[in-house]
Amino acid sequence: MTYHDLKANRRQVLVSVSAGGLTLGFSLAGKAQAQDDAVRPLNAYVSVAPNGIVTITAKNPEVGQGIKTMLPMLIAEELDVAWEDVRIVQADNDPKAFGRQFAGGSMATPLHWDELRRVGAVARAMLIQAAATAWNCGPADCVTAPGEVIHKPSGKKRSYGSLALACASVTPPDPKSLTLKDPKTYRIIGKPMAQYDVEKIVTGQPLFGIDQVRPGMLYASIVKAPVFGAKVASADVEAAKAVKGVKKVIVIDGDPNGLFPTGNIGQGLLPSVAVVADSWWAAKKGRDRLNVKWADHPTQAQSTKSFAEQAAALNAGAPQRNARNDGDVAAALKASAKTVEAAYSYPFLSHANLEPQNCTAEFKDGKLEIWAPTQNPEPGRQLTARTLGIKPEDITVHMVRGGGGFGRRLANDYMVEAAWVAREAGAPVKLLWTREDDMAHDHYRPGGYHYLKGGVDAQGNLIALQDHFVTFSQNGAIAASAGMPATEFPARFVPNVKYDVSMIPMAIPTGPLRAPGSNALSFVFQSFIDEMAHAAGADPLAFQIKLLGDQAVVGQPPAAFGAGRMRGVLKAAGEMSGWDKRGKLPKGEGMGVACYYSHQGYFAEVAHVAVADDGSVKVKKVWVAADVGHTIINPHGALNQVQGSVLDGVSEALHQQITIDGGAVQQSNFTDYPLMRIAESFPVEVKFLKTEFPPTGLGEPALPPALPAVTNAIFAATGKRIRSLPITPDMLKA
């Protein structure tokens, strides 16, 4: 779906009026609906109660990124209502009313910046028209102040609540005909707002998927093979049933295409055994007694060690295909004053959501109701319908807050499992994975291997770059989130570039993790550019700016790259961090710089690290300069997203890896898959550069440069290059 697919017209504006007041919706799905009291509030964005309280529906899933607050801010600003008079409710999945509802790709802002402001503007125009009709004047004689319409000539006022019912006879205007507010008059956009649910979160009120409760609900725990896709050979069903509280044990054969299904609706139902009980603990105890034996499976031959061996063998031979070939790399390398050759690698990663995967489902009279902390509800509804053999329209998906997403909840395997078990159990069921389940059955960020060569000329210019990228494939195609664009920087800025690709077949499920692709590629290319700067004897920051050249934009949409914007953030990061004074740092300390374009955002980051004699790394501070357009909608949320992204990226660099042995994941919990602890955290100073470009999202683009900024700082501190992750003390011991 493109930006233009979400444009709405006059026929797509919905209005309903009842004794409760005005309800206005703005269909982005391209279908008008009947305008009467039967229009459901789920199809509406705005409701105005007689007492003036405005309820705004948040259309997209909330997984901690603040979207439930930010999107309603856009509507409330143009509606001209006081923020303290706004109440926010979470929409259910309803593509007919809301179009596509998802949390991913940092797309909420670019897709909704204009459209949702117009939702508010339409509602405001209707209230003005209702007042003008009552006063027998023209709309031009009326203005609004927060929550009220004012008749300019007389000073008369009417509250929004008193006008709500009168809007029944008002024809909604064409959204495109309305003039939106001058940003100088904003009262809500650009002001720091706490997340709407923060009080409920800190006081432990039920909000999350894991909190859901239904009358007569049972609990389920499900076990799948350690080796992905292996079938159940045997299970001690009677032993599990003997546990007090266990109601049913369900052996699931699974979908033959469940692991890697056709189409783009996600992983389906895998072979497994579910234990259903009157408490989750009873279900878990029953599961522990199953003593499941699993059938042999081809994936058992796969391991991290074998992947590395295959990558080295593939690099020794001819690449399987070429992705980019500019100029003559071989000749340019031969003519270079200095050349560098290096092999980089990065591991598989787990999303490690703090809330494990879960879902509550109720199947009754052929219809299914689901409560799921999903990032992508509609594909989950379609997948569940296909798996259960029912119509998608017979499934209702309630989107509940997720305790972390990071891309994991774009897949909906837990939704399918809960639905299947609920149908078989004949009762509402809450399915809850253990932490070990979550670690062993993630959709992992794929690992990868890069074999690089680069050359600089006598003037210190990067003139040649070659990368043989060895990645992973599934069913003959590059695995999910395992690819690399042919435009990967510094392509287009170096005259001679060659990107080759080879693939290792594998059967481990992969998928997007925060800043997919970029979270790994940034480490490789920004670290190697730092290597080339060192070979050229150049200041790494100055080398990056010189590499970008003097053009404002390189390439054409949709792959255009704002070189001027990247130069701007690099210069800002240098100024913020006192880059020019880094030579005065004590022994064992260093500063590194990296920049990256991701999800329409331009980011440059400088890290200051200290490396002890035992090889331990302490990040002391990170400075971030960002260009995400002309408006920061919620500065409070924006700062949280950038700081969280940097901490997330550094945690990946210092600690995280998933390793495979015998076809199974070796890590099981935070004991062997550690995340950054509070004691390791550090200050993150952020500066947003205001430019003339439309605003974009902030959930992801700050993460990629954090990793190479740290590894480059480690080199500055120790002279030792980090070419594989995670960083271990053994790499850096004195």
Side-chain angles (χ1 to χ4, degrees):
M1 183 178 288
T2 67
Y3 178 88
H4 296 288
D5 293 330
L6 294 175
K7 297 292 185 182
N9 58 43
R10 183 173 180 176
R11 292 184 179 273
Q12 293 168 308
V13 177
L14 314 178
V15 181
S16 69
V17 179
S18 65
L22 163 71
T23 299
L24 178 135
F26 193 67
S27 171
L28 300 180
K31 295 182 180 179
Q33 298 184 17
Q35 309 308 309
D36 55 34
D37 289 345
V39 174
R40 295 176 294 149
L42 298 176
N43 292 338
Y45 282 98
V46 179
S47 296
V48 181
N51 64 358
I53 294 297
V54 175
T55 299
I56 298 178
T57 298
K59 63 163 283 190
N60 280 358
E62 173 62 76
V63 287
Q65 79 280 42
I67 218 68
K68 186 177 178 180
T69 305
M70 187 275 285
L71 292 183
M73 287 175 67
L74 301 178
I75 297 172
E77 181 66 71
E78 292 294 338
L79 177 59
D80 204 5
V81 61
W83 187 246
E84 57 266 26
D85 291 334
V86 171
R87 306 293 181 265
I88 301 173
V89 296
Q90 177 67 62
D92 282 345
N93 178 51
D94 192 340
K96 290 183 179 179
F98 296 110
R100 189 179 176 196
Q101 297 165 272
F102 71 103
S106 297
M107 292 302 293
T109 296
L111 289 177
H112 300 104
W113 165 250
D114 188 67
E115 277 70 19
L116 291 190
R117 285 187 299 143
R118 293 192 183 278
V119 167
V122 168
R124 177 172 169 267
M126 293 174 66
L127 290 160
I128 287 174
Q129 181 60 62
T133 299
W135 290 327
N136 196 26
C137 68
D141 291 331
C142 302
V143 294
T144 60
E148 61 184 9
V149 180
I150 303 170
H151 184 241
K152 288 189 294 184
S154 67
K156 292 184 293 187
K157 298 179 180 180
R158 289 283 300 273
S159 71
Y160 284 0
S162 69
L163 293 167
L165 292 177
C167 288
S169 59
V170 175
T171 301
D174 181 350
K176 295 180 182 178
S177 70
L178 301 175
T179 300
L180 299 178
K181 280 187 176 183
D182 185 328
K184 294 177 183 177
T185 68
Y186 284 167
R187 295 187 177 97
I188 296 173
I189 293 175
K191 305 301 187 291
M193 303 292 182
Q195 283 204 34
Y196 185 73
D197 289 328
V198 68
E199 182 179 351
K200 294 181 179 179
I201 293 170
V202 299
T203 57
Q205 297 183 46
L207 283 173
F208 297 90
I210 204 171
D211 298 323
Q212 301 307 302
V213 176
R214 300 296 301 159
M217 187 179 77
L218 299 176
Y219 298 80
S221 182
I222 193 164
V223 59
K224 295 185 284 289
V227 175
F228 302 100
K231 289 185 173 294
V232 177
S234 66
D236 196 342
V237 172
E238 294 306 316
K241 286 181 176 179
V243 173
K244 184 179 179 181
V246 170
K247 303 297 183 182
K248 195 163 189 174
V249 177
I250 305 166
V251 179
I252 302 170
D253 290 336
D255 181 347
N257 297 315
L259 191 58
F260 304 115
T262 56
N264 189 30
I265 56 175
Q267 179 178 298
L269 193 65
L270 296 183
S272 50
V273 183
V275 178
V276 183
D278 57 14
S279 72
W280 187 83
W281 185 243
K284 173 67 167 57
K285 287 178 66 177
R287 165 182 164 167
D288 291 343
R289 295 192 183 182
L290 282 169
N291 191 29
V292 182
K293 304 297 183 185
W294 303 97
D296 289 339
H297 193 276
T299 305
Q300 289 171 228
Q302 298 183 351
S303 69
T304 298
K305 183 175 182 291
S306 72
F307 291 154
E309 291 169 349
Q310 290 177 74
L314 285 168
N315 182 57
Q320 294 172 358
R321 67 177 179 86
N322 176 258
R324 187 181 191 99
N325 196 0
D326 299 339
D328 189 334
V329 169
L333 286 170
K334 188 175 181 179
S336 294
K338 290 185 179 180
T339 59
V340 176
E341 187 169 347
Y344 279 79
S345 65
Y346 42 84
F348 287 74
L349 293 180
S350 172
H351 295 81
N353 305 131
L354 291 186
E355 177 194 29
Q357 310 316 312
N358 65 87
C359 183
T360 301
E362 184 170 352
F363 190 86
K364 187 177 181 180
D365 300 329
K367 297 185 184 297
L368 181 66
E369 198 167 1
I370 289 172
W371 292 261
T374 174
Q375 291 180 249
N376 206 13
E378 181 58 21
R381 186 169 75 116
Q382 297 292 332
L383 177 61
T384 303
R386 188 190 73 177
T387 305
L388 270 64
I390 62 177
K391 297 177 181 178
E393 53 266 32
D394 287 335
I395 301 176
T396 299
V397 179
H398 305 288
M399 297 186 297
V400 292
R401 190 182 184 101
F406 313 113
R408 173 60 181 95
R409 289 184 159 102
L410 290 167
N412 292 287
D413 41 337
Y414 48 89
M415 186 187 295
V416 178
E417 291 173 355
W420 185 277
V421 173
R423 185 183 67 176
E424 297 301 302
V429 169
K430 175 156 66 179
L431 173 75
L432 175 61
W433 290 20
T434 65
R435 176 69 61 201
E436 290 78 10
D437 293 335
D438 221 10
M439 203 70 72
H441 290 283
D442 204 341
H443 295 224
Y444 306 94
R445 193 287 301 274
Y449 307 85
H450 294 257
Y451 299 90
L452 297 145
K453 295 179 182 178
V456 294
D457 63 15
Q459 290 72 45
N461 299 305
L462 181 58
I463 60 169
L465 176 67
Q466 178 176 310
D467 178 29
H468 184 182
F469 175 32
V470 180
T471 187
F472 294 93
S473 66
Q474 291 164 351
N475 296 329
I478 289 179
S481 298
M484 182 179 82
T487 55
E488 181 66 29
F489 186 81
R492 299 182 290 184
F493 292 86
V494 179
N496 305 284
V497 173
K498 188 178 184 184
Y499 290 162
D500 294 319
V501 180
S502 295
M503 297 185 293
I504 301 170
M506 64 131 185
I508 295 167
T510 62
L513 182 145
R514 194 175 196 175
S518 302
N519 53 42
L521 298 172
S522 60
F523 158 64
V524 173
F525 285 93
Q526 284 292 300
S527 296
F528 192 66
I529 288 172
D530 197 79
E531 291 205 49
M532 298 311 302
H534 182 71
D539 174 333
L541 192 150
F543 187 83
Q544 291 264 19
I545 293 173
K546 181 181 180 182
L547 178 60
L548 287 163
D550 55 7
Q551 296 184 70
V553 179
V554 172
Q556 299 296 319
F561 183 94
R565 300 177 73 179
M566 192 63 84
R567 288 195 300 270
V569 293
L570 277 166
K571 292 176 182 177
E575 293 167 1
M576 293 167 64
S577 63
W579 175 263
D580 291 341
K581 298 178 182 179
R582 69 193 185 284
K584 298 180 181 180
L585 292 174
K587 181 181 178 182
E589 296 187 18
M591 293 171 69
V593 64
C595 63
Y596 207 76
Y597 169 70
S598 172
H599 296 82
Q600 303 182 48
Y602 294 81
F603 279 75
E605 300 177 14
V606 172
H608 175 195
V609 308
V611 181
D613 289 343
D614 64 358
S616 61
V617 176
K618 172 64 178 176
V619 179
K620 304 191 75 171
K621 187 170 182 177
V622 172
W623 294 264
V624 180
D627 179 354
V628 290
H630 56 62
T631 302
I632 303 299
I633 298 168
N634 183 357
H636 182 78
L639 182 63
N640 286 346
Q641 286 299 296
V642 172
Q643 292 177 331
S645 293
V646 171
L647 292 167
D648 201 0
V650 174
S651 180
E652 291 175 8
L654 294 178
H655 298 304
Q656 295 166 221
Q657 66 173 330
I658 289 291
T659 55
I660 310 295
D661 187 41
V665 170
Q666 293 179 288
Q667 289 70 28
S668 63
N669 210 313
F670 294 139
T671 53
D672 49 12
Y673 191 85
L675 306 182
M676 180 182 289
R677 300 301 182 101
I678 290 176
E680 298 176 275
S681 64
F682 47 85
V684 179
E685 183 179 329
V686 182
K687 180 178 182 179
F688 294 104
L689 278 62
K690 300 294 182 68
T691 56
E692 71 271 23
F693 301 93
T696 189
L698 277 167
E700 296 167 281
L703 186 149
L707 291 84
V710 167
T711 58
N712 293 338
I714 289 172
F715 173 76
T718 66
K720 297 180 180 180
R721 283 288 174 193
I722 301 297
R723 295 185 176 126
S724 65
L725 296 176
I727 303 162
T728 65
D730 287 343
M731 296 175 176
L732 299 171
K733 284 181 181 178

